[in-house]
Amino acid sequence: MPEPRLIVPPCGAMTAHAFRLHPGEKLMPALKQAAEIILARSKCESAFIVTAVGSLERATIRLANASRTDGDDTGGNDIKTYNQRFEIVSLVGTFSADGSGCHVHISLSDAEGNTIGGHLMDGTIFTTCEIVMGTAENVKFTRIMDDSTGYNELEVIQLPKQQSDAWKAIPAALMILAAGFIAGRLKAR
């Protein structure tokens, strides 16, 4: 077994962004659009789904029999569409600001409690979908080809900490205060 490459995981302060999708909305395009807006607004380079609850009336998922291009004859990536009502019991995923993609998985429960899941291709909201997405400051998600899997896989990069604009303004404000203080002292003489 190969040694782990990542010893200290990248980290950054998290911010939560909550929103709701309405009946008839398409889940995957809405997630991508929300991630794009959130990433642009927050100036972060990583977004992820923290939690979600809701229901779908139609779901398209890629099942878990994906395989590398190594001669495996399992049939590849089966994509199935289900035209029935489901409760969303899990929705997880990552989004990259650099345009390298996203990766979203979903678990769904039917009216009898049977659960299916896989890679989310799309879905149509039945009643609602309440979603909380997170961003992490100073952490970048990107996707690079991994020859061992044959897929573009997540690479997490620690970015240098950025000072906020407010902190950058403090030295200038202190210099103005000091200059005013000195000018006042000289005037008093």
Side-chain angles (χ1 to χ4, degrees), residues 48-172:
F48 44 90
I49 300 169
V50 177
T51 190
V53 294
S55 61
L56 299 179
E57 61 186 9
R58 177 184 171 95
T60 303
I61 59 175
R62 188 178 71 216
L63 301 177
N65 64 345
S67 64
R68 289 180 21 197
T69 334
D70 60 2
D72 189 349
D73 234 358
T74 61
N77 296 316
D78 287 342
I79 296 174
K80 289 196 175 180
T81 298
Y82 300 89
N83 289 301
Q84 64 186 81
R85 295 177 182 166
F86 290 105
E87 285 292 322
I88 298 170
V89 294
S90 177
L91 181 66
V92 295
T94 57
F95 300 83
S96 305
D98 65 7
S100 64
C102 63
H103 191 182
V104 180
H105 282 201
I106 193 165
S107 292
L108 302 165
S109 179
D110 68 14
E112 298 182 6
N114 300 312
T115 303
I116 59 168
H119 182 92
L120 177 65
M121 303 304 286
D122 205 359
T124 305
I125 306 302
F126 174 53
T127 58
T128 190
C129 188
E130 303 158 3
I131 302 165
V132 179
M133 291 184 88
T135 53
E137 292 177 10
N138 307 314
V139 176
K140 179 178 181 176
F141 290 168
T142 190
R143 298 204 159 272
I144 60 169
M145 176 53 74
D146 184 333
D147 293 332
S148 67
T149 67
Y151 293 97
N152 287 332
E153 302 290 3
L154 181 68
E155 180 176 50
V156 183
I157 300 165
Q158 182 73 61
L159 299 174
K161 287 192 175 185
Q162 302 291 324
Q163 285 186 337
S164 73
D165 291 338
W167 287 107
K168 291 176 186 174
I170 289 177

